[in-house]
C-alpha cells in the first residue's frame, strides 16, 4: 500500500527544546493508526505539525504532495480533517449551524454532508436545532467529529477523543470512529488510553519524549514496549 500520509524526519518545538525529534511514520489510505504515548510525549504536536499549526522541519507528504509551505486551510482542503483536544464547538450556535460553518464545500454539497453526519450520529439529528452548549460531553465530541467530517476528509486526525468522557460515552465515540474508519477514511488517533485506542486501530506507533520507540501491528507490539512508552 502506498502511503496517504507520509511523515519523514519531522522535528518541531515551541521555541525551546524540540517536542518532536525526527519522527517518521506513514498512514495508508483507509488505515487506522493509533498514536500512543504518555502526557507530553508529543502526540498533539505531531497532529498539529501535519496541519501546519506548529512550524515543523522535515518532510510531510499527503497523497504524494509536499505539505510544506501550505497554509492550514489548504491542507484541510486537500482532505485532512482534524478534531482538536477538548471538543471545540461553538456553544451558542445550533448543532446544524456548527456543522454548516465547518463545510468548505458549496451549499448543496454542504447540505448533503450535514445529512451524512446526522445519519452517522442520530442523537445530533434529533438535536439539530438545539444550541451546542445543551449537548452532553459525548454529544459535543460527536459534533466535533461531525464538523471534521464535513469536508469528507480522506484522513482524520483525532486528538484524544475520549478525554474526560465517561467510559460509556467514550465507548460510543469509539464506535463512531470504527464506523468512520470502516467507511474508508484513514484515521490517525492520538490517545493516552492504550486499551481504548487499540480497540479501533490494528497498528500503533509509540511516541516517547518526541521520538518513535515502536511502530507495528498491535499484535506484534510487546507489552514491554507499550509500558516503556508510558512509564519508561
Ligand atoms: P498531551 O496528552 O498532554 O496532549 P502530548 O503527547 O500530546 O501530550 P504535546 O502536547 O505534543 O504532548 O507536548 C509535547 C511537549 O511540548 C511537552 O513537553 C509540552 O510541554 C510541550 N508543549 C506543548 N504545547 C506547548 C506550547 N504551546 N508551548 C510550549 N511548549 C509546549
Amino acid at each position: 500500500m502506498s502511503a496517504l500520509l507520509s511523515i519523514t524526519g519531522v522535528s518541531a518545538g515551541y521555541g525551546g527544546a524540540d517536542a518532536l525529534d525526527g519522527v517518521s511514520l506513514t498512514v495508508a489510505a483507509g488505515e487506522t493508526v493509533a498514536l500512543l504515548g504518555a502526557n507530553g510525549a508529543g502526540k498533539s504536536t505531531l497532529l498539529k505539525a501535519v496541519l501546519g499549526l506548529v512550524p515543523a522541519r522535515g518532510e510531510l507528504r499527503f497523497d504524494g504532495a509536499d505539505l510544506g509551505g501550505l497554509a492550514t486551510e489548504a491542507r484541510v482542503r486537500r482532505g485532512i480533517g482534524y478534531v482538536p483536544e477538548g471538543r471545540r464547538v461553538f456553544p451558542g450556535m445550533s448543532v446544524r449551524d456548527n456543522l454548516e460553518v465547518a463545510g468548505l464545500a458549496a451549499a448543496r454539497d454542504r447540505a448533503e454532508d450535514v445529512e451524512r453526519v446526522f445519519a452517522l450520529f442520530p442523537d445530533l439529528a434529533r438535536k439539530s436545532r438545539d444550541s451546542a452548549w445543551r449537548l452532553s460531553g459525548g454529544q459535543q465530541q460527536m459534533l466535533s467529529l461531525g464538523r471534521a467530517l464535513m469536508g469528507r476528509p480522506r484522513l482524520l486526525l483525532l486528538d484524544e477523543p475520549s478525554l474526560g468522557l465517561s467510559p460509556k460515552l467514550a465507548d460510543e465515540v469509539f464506535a463512531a470512529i470504527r464506523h468512520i474508519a470502516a467507511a474508508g477514511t484513514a484515521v490517525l488517533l492520538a490517545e493516552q488510553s492504550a486499551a481504548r485506542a487499540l480497540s479501533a486501530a490494528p497498528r500503533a506507533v509509540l511516541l516517547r519524549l518526541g521520538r518513535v520507540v515502536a511502530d507495528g501491528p498491535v499484535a506484534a507490539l510487546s507489552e514491554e514496549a507499550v509500558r516503556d512508552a508510558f512509564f519508561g
Side-chain angles (χ1 to χ4, degrees):
M1 272 189 289
S2 67
L4 178 64
L5 175 70
S6 160
I7 298 172
T8 312
V10 164
S11 299
Y14 301 88
D18 276 346
L20 293 178
D21 181 10
V23 168
S24 298
L25 67 91
T26 61
V27 180
E31 187 184 26
T32 299
V33 177
L35 186 60
L36 301 179
N39 201 342
K43 305 179 297 296
S44 301
T45 304
L46 184 61
L47 300 187
K48 287 177 185 166
V50 173
L51 274 170
L53 293 171
V54 298
R57 306 182 302 284
E59 192 182 57
L60 292 162
R61 300 186 81 84
F62 180 69
D63 201 18
D66 193 350
L67 293 179
L70 289 185
T72 297
E73 193 193 333
R75 299 182 197 208
V76 171
R77 282 187 184 280
R78 277 171 186 263
I80 303 178
Y82 174 51
V83 180
E85 201 174 303
R87 310 188 268 286
R88 311 271 165 76
V89 298
F90 295 112
M93 275 167 48
S94 73
V95 167
R96 178 180 284 278
D97 287 349
N98 261 277
L99 294 172
E100 289 272 356
V101 298
L104 298 168
R108 197 197 313 148
D109 289 344
R110 223 164 45 215
E112 239 177 74
D113 286 355
V114 169
E115 292 315 313
R116 281 155 47 97
V117 171
F118 284 164
L120 181 62
F121 301 120
D123 274 2
L124 296 185
R126 276 190 290 277
K127 304 204 164 192
S128 70
R129 289 162 192 273
D130 287 8
S131 298
W133 65 266
R134 300 178 65 101
L135 301 180
S136 70
Q139 288 165 346
Q140 285 185 18
Q141 186 60 272
M142 307 289 183
L143 183 55
S144 193
L145 267 167
R147 285 172 50 80
L149 291 172
M150 280 297 291
R152 303 190 193 187
R154 279 176 296 158
L155 171 69
L156 199 52
L157 306 174
L158 302 179
D159 199 351
E160 307 219 20
S162 71
L163 197 72
L165 296 182
S166 70
K168 181 172 170 287
L169 290 177
D171 283 349
E172 285 179 21
V173 167
F174 267 76
I177 293 167
R178 284 194 292 272
H179 196 88
I180 292 164
T185 308
V187 179
L188 182 58
L189 167 66
E191 260 292 340
Q192 272 188 55
S193 158
R196 210 175 277 292
L198 301 181
S199 77
R203 191 179 131 221
V205 173
L206 306 188
L207 276 187
R208 184 167 174 251
L209 301 176
R211 295 190 179 171
V212 174
V213 292
D215 178 347
V218 165
L221 289 176
S222 68
E223 258 179 57
E224 201 185 331
V226 177
R227 206 171 38 238
D228 277 1
F230 285 88
F231 309 111

